[in-house]
Every structure is written in C-alpha cells, then in structure tokens.
C-alpha cells in the first residue's frame, strides 16, 4: 500500500486556533483601530485568513529547533510573525505578533 505524500497528508489537516492567538488578534486590532480603523480590520482579516494556505502546505514555515521534539514553526505574514505547531492531523495556530514587538 503506497504512503500518502506530504501534500496529501496535509490536505486532511484541521486548523485550530488557541485562545492566546485569538487574544493576539483582538490585541492587534485594538492597537490599530485608533490609528486607522479600516487598516485594523484589513490587517486582522488577512492574518486570520493566512493559515488556510498551511492546510495545503503545512511545512512551509521555518522549523524552530528550540521546541524539539515538538514540530513548531514560524511563518512571516508581512510584518507579522505567526507561530504554529503540527500535531498529527491538526495544525495549531499558537501566537501572532508584529515583528517589532519585544518577544
């Protein structure tokens, strides 16, 4: 029986958001709203939509060795960094922040 390719395996992945990630999106939105309401909405919408491409290509992000043996990766989305973890058929979005934040 042939094994599925990485592409086939990742197509079955389920995207899951952690509470911390959801609070990150709220925090980013609240920070941007006083500056530019429209840009705040667009930024949060693009960050929320970005992980859908991970379902097709889960290993596209840079693997972060310091989290071994976990498969934690980072993906840059414009000026924002998204950290996510691959666990079997689940893809957890762990955190999102602006790259200029002190993290």
């Amino acid at each position: 029986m042939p094994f599925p390719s990485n592409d086939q395996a990742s197509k079955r992945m389920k995207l899951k958001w952690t509470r911390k990630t959801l609070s990150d999106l709220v925090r980013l939105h609240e920070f941007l709203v006083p500056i530019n309401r429209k840009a705040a909405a667009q930024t949060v919408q693009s960050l929320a939509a970005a992980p859908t491409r991970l379902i097709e290509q889960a290993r596209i992000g840079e693997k972060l060795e310091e989290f071994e043996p976990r498969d934690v990766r980072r993906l840059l989305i414009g000026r924002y960094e998204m950290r996510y973890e691959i666990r079997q058929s689940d893809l957890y979005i762990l955190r999102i922040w602006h790259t200029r934040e002190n993290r």
Side-chain angles (χ1 to χ4, degrees), residues 48-65:
T52 56
R53 75 179 183 168
L54 293 174
I55 294 170
E56 298 292 325
Q57 299 173 326
R59 287 172 174 75
I60 195 170
E62 173 190 355
K63 188 168 184 172
L64 301 173
E65 303 297 330

Side-chain angles (χ1 to χ4, degrees), residues 5 10-11 16 39 43 53 55-56 70 84-85 100:
S5 70
S10 63
K11 285 182 183 175
K16 299 188 177 198
T43 298
R53 75 179 183 168
I55 294 170
E56 298 292 325
R70 295 168 54 200
Y84 65 98
E85 181 175 2
R100 293 180 78 184

Side-chain angles (χ1 to χ4, degrees), residues 3-93:
F3 291 100
S5 70
N6 284 343
D7 291 337
Q8 290 171 333
S10 63
K11 285 182 183 175
R12 292 188 289 258
M13 293 194 122
K14 294 178 189 165
L15 193 59
K16 299 188 177 198
W17 294 79
T18 65
R19 287 183 185 185
K20 285 186 177 185
T21 305
L22 296 175
S23 68
D24 286 340
L25 290 174
V26 169
R27 179 182 49 80
L28 290 168
H29 185 265
E30 288 175 351
F31 174 78
L32 294 170
V33 162
I35 300 163
N36 185 328
R37 183 174 296 277
K38 186 177 178 182
Q42 290 172 339
T43 298
V44 170
Q45 287 172 356
S46 68
L47 291 171
T52 56
R53 75 179 183 168
L54 293 174
I55 294 170
E56 298 292 325
Q57 299 173 326
R59 287 172 174 75
I60 195 170
E62 173 190 355
K63 188 168 184 172
L64 301 173
E65 303 297 330
E66 66 263 27
F67 293 100
E68 288 284 343
R70 295 168 54 200
D71 191 0
V72 176
R73 296 170 179 262
R74 77 181 197 133
L75 183 68
L76 294 177
I77 305 156
R79 294 182 178 161
Y80 294 87
E81 181 171 328
M82 176 181 293
R83 294 226 174 147
Y84 65 98
E85 181 175 2
I86 301 169
R87 291 190 218 157
Q88 297 171 348
S89 63
D90 294 327
L91 198 137
Y92 290 85
I93 308 303

